[in-house]
Amino acid sequence: MYSIKRYLYFVKPYKWKVILTILIGLVKFGIPLMLPLIYMYVIDDIIDTDMSASDKTEQLLWVMGIALFVFLILRPPVEYYRQYLAQYVSSKILFDIRDRLFDHIQKLSLKFYSKTKTGEVISRVIHDVEQTKTFVVTGLMNIWLDMATIIIAVSIMLTLDPILTLIAIILFPVYGYSVKYFYSRLRQLTRARSQALAEVQGHLHERVQGMPVIRGFALEDHAQGEFDVQNRKYLDRALKFTSWNAKSYAVTHTITDIAPLLVVAVGGYLVIGEIVTVGVLVAFISYMAQVYNPLRRLVNSMTQLTQAHASMDRVFEFMDEEYDVTDKPNAKTLEQVHGDVTFENVSFRYDEEEEEVLHHVNLSIPKGETVAFVGMSGGGKSTLVSLIPRFYDVTSGSIKIDGIDIRDLKARSLRDQIGMVLQDNILFSDSVEMNIRMGKPDATNEEVVAAAKAANAHDFIMDFPDGYETLVGERGVKLSGGQKQRIAIARVFLKNPPLLILDEATSALDLESEHLIQEALDKLAHNRTTFVVAHRLSTITHADRIVLINNGVIKEEGTHDELMRKKGLYYDLFQVQELDQVEDPKVIR
């Protein structure tokens, strides 16, 4: 019930439209309740009377004329507005929930995404939210209308014959118990089925993204086997749900089929004994459909509501995912940045149960300095620079910008002052122009072109048939690695931040691309406080300071020349890389 209370928060802004929809629905469902009374009137008051044939015909035409006016003229617009309002309200509520979830997604930390499959996140935002639509249309509207229809129909039946009415509703308690019995189990099975579907989607999303690897290593059969395991798991849970759902249908529909037979048996006996008229019996039989059809719909509604309720649980479970990085209540907005950055006794671990990745790091970087972090893979270089924009918060110690602890700043305003170029930059499946404009959404076309030129990207962009309007494909698949990097650099040029982070920005590129990108990066880093993470040491020899990190600890620090003269770890690493390049025939010296 907690999930339902929370869901009603999203319904509240549309409560009057919900009420209006229900009122129109009462008219819609109330009109068919006239039919049994028409049947009774025609049989008892027109056909089974002593009137002449012409009088009977005249009476019949009047009755049919009024009925046709109601059903042909009045009912269609009622039906339209009832359906339109129901779908309008439910669609608006789903829009609001997805809007809230996307905002939530953007606030979740990278730690969450490192542990959660993208496909499962998408499943909750798309599939589970869509499933909750049933709660609005069925739970808030149709159920009440069906119940109102039953109450009105039973009330009319009581005025016609109390005994037959009692026979008609005698199985109601049995029906209610059976619905309650099946409901709780259906909710559990629905939740399990939804989780299995999310796992299939997560698995599928990963494999689609990794299709080049699957095809390149001829792993199609292996991948098919893995997918079959996930798909079979979903099938098993779906069949358990289907089995239990079929049992609920079998039981409840048997009850709703027996009740009309009881009415026909008792009503037929009363007609034979001339206690009730044929018209009353016909009306009762018609009202049985009006009573038990809504009851059958209630069974369907309960099944759908169990699915909606389980999906609500999953939606709010995701919405309650806590943020690892949050702003303090009195957090300041970072507007002006001089560019001094200080690491004071910084230690960090990703999870409480894991070992520290960084140990007591102390660094002071003045404005405009370029600092390069080097060392063996897994030493903590990328982790250290990811703490600056607060992708994670330090475990102990502090990072300060211009003397202010970054945890005292609003994270969004902090990141607004930082530009990042990564090894694998994400491009969106949009145009080249829009991907550059991500650095400054309100930039002019002239500013976009200027940024592209500064990043050495303008020439290759103009070689495309559509120029800046060229679509880059998902994650920039239509571009080479060097082209993607230069667009990412253009994005940062456009943003023009005072702080710059370059994380393996030139690795795995050909020599020509590396030269163009290095030239653009040097231009970009000018007069900015710059942090460079590099694997290839030849690209950072110009840095103002080089910091060698090993196993989360700073081992050496100084300029390239100073560290080479010291002949320590940096010297050994540099010598190894130089030797590798000499021995590699592909490297042009």
Side-chain angles (χ1 to χ4, degrees), residues 212-227:
V213 176
I214 293 173
R215 300 295 293 276
F217 285 86
L219 295 173
E220 288 89 347
D221 292 340
H222 176 72
Q224 185 68 54
E226 287 185 325
F227 181 77

Side-chain angles (χ1 to χ4, degrees), residues 250-276:
V251 172
T252 54
H253 280 222
T254 298
I255 295 170
T256 56
D257 288 339
I258 291 174
L261 292 176
L262 293 176
V263 170
V264 170
V266 176
Y269 175 78
L270 294 176
V271 169
I272 292 171
E274 297 184 350
I275 300 174
V276 298

Side-chain angles (χ1 to χ4, degrees), residues 30-210:
I31 290 174
L33 292 176
M34 296 170 55
L35 284 172
L37 296 177
I38 293 173
Y39 301 154
M40 184 181 71
Y41 181 80
V42 169
I43 292 172
D44 288 348
D45 296 322
I46 296 179
I47 297 175
D48 193 19
T49 62
D50 296 332
M51 288 190 297
S52 64
S54 61
D55 289 340
K56 289 180 180 181
T57 302
E58 183 181 353
Q59 286 288 323
L60 183 62
L61 288 174
W62 271 106
V63 171
M64 290 299 102
I66 295 171
L68 287 172
F69 174 78
V70 172
F71 284 90
L72 288 180
I73 306 301
L74 294 183
R75 192 179 182 190
V78 170
E79 182 75 42
Y80 169 80
Y81 284 108
R82 143 80 184 145
Q83 291 295 334
Y84 175 79
L85 282 173
Q87 294 301 319
Y88 172 85
V89 171
S90 58
S91 296
K92 288 287 286 183
I93 291 170
L94 264 57
F95 171 86
D96 292 345
I97 294 174
R98 287 199 178 105
D99 209 46
R100 174 71 65 84
L101 283 175
F102 188 76
D103 179 66
H104 178 63
I105 285 171
Q106 294 186 96
K107 294 177 181 177
L108 289 169
S109 71
L110 297 185
K111 185 188 295 185
F112 170 82
Y113 291 109
S114 68
K115 296 179 179 180
T116 308
K117 291 182 177 179
T118 304
E120 184 163 345
V121 174
I122 293 171
S123 176
R124 298 210 186 197
V125 177
I126 302 300
H127 173 74
D128 285 318
V129 172
E130 191 66 30
Q131 286 287 86
T132 67
K133 185 177 183 179
T134 305
F135 174 74
V136 182
V137 177
T138 300
L140 294 181
M141 299 176 188
N142 290 355
I143 281 183
W144 301 112
L145 294 173
D146 285 333
M147 292 177 67
T149 300
I150 293 169
I151 292 170
I152 294 170
V154 170
S155 300
I156 295 173
M157 291 162 70
L158 280 170
T159 63
L160 298 178
D161 191 276
I163 295 176
L164 278 180
T165 305
L166 180 63
I167 298 299
I169 64 174
I170 198 169
L171 293 179
F172 272 22
V174 180
Y175 179 86
Y177 174 79
S178 64
V179 169
K180 182 180 179 181
Y181 174 77
F182 286 106
Y183 177 82
S184 58
R185 178 64 177 153
L186 276 174
R187 183 184 174 190
Q188 297 172 8
L189 293 173
T190 302
R191 185 178 175 86
R193 186 184 66 170
S194 296
Q195 178 60 33
L197 179 61
E199 290 172 4
V200 170
Q201 289 178 317
H203 182 86
L204 181 61
H205 185 271
E206 277 190 339
R207 295 313 182 269
V208 169
Q209 284 191 322

Side-chain angles (χ1 to χ4, degrees), residues 228-272:
D228 287 346
V229 170
Q230 295 291 334
N231 206 19
R232 174 69 60 181
K233 183 179 179 181
Y234 171 70
L235 176 64
D236 291 342
R237 294 186 181 181
L239 290 178
K240 286 180 181 178
F241 169 84
T242 300
S243 174
W244 195 255
N245 194 36
K247 289 176 184 176
S248 70
Y249 272 74
V251 172
T252 54
H253 280 222
T254 298
I255 295 170
T256 56
D257 288 339
I258 291 174
L261 292 176
L262 293 176
V263 170
V264 170
V266 176
Y269 175 78
L270 294 176
V271 169
I272 292 171

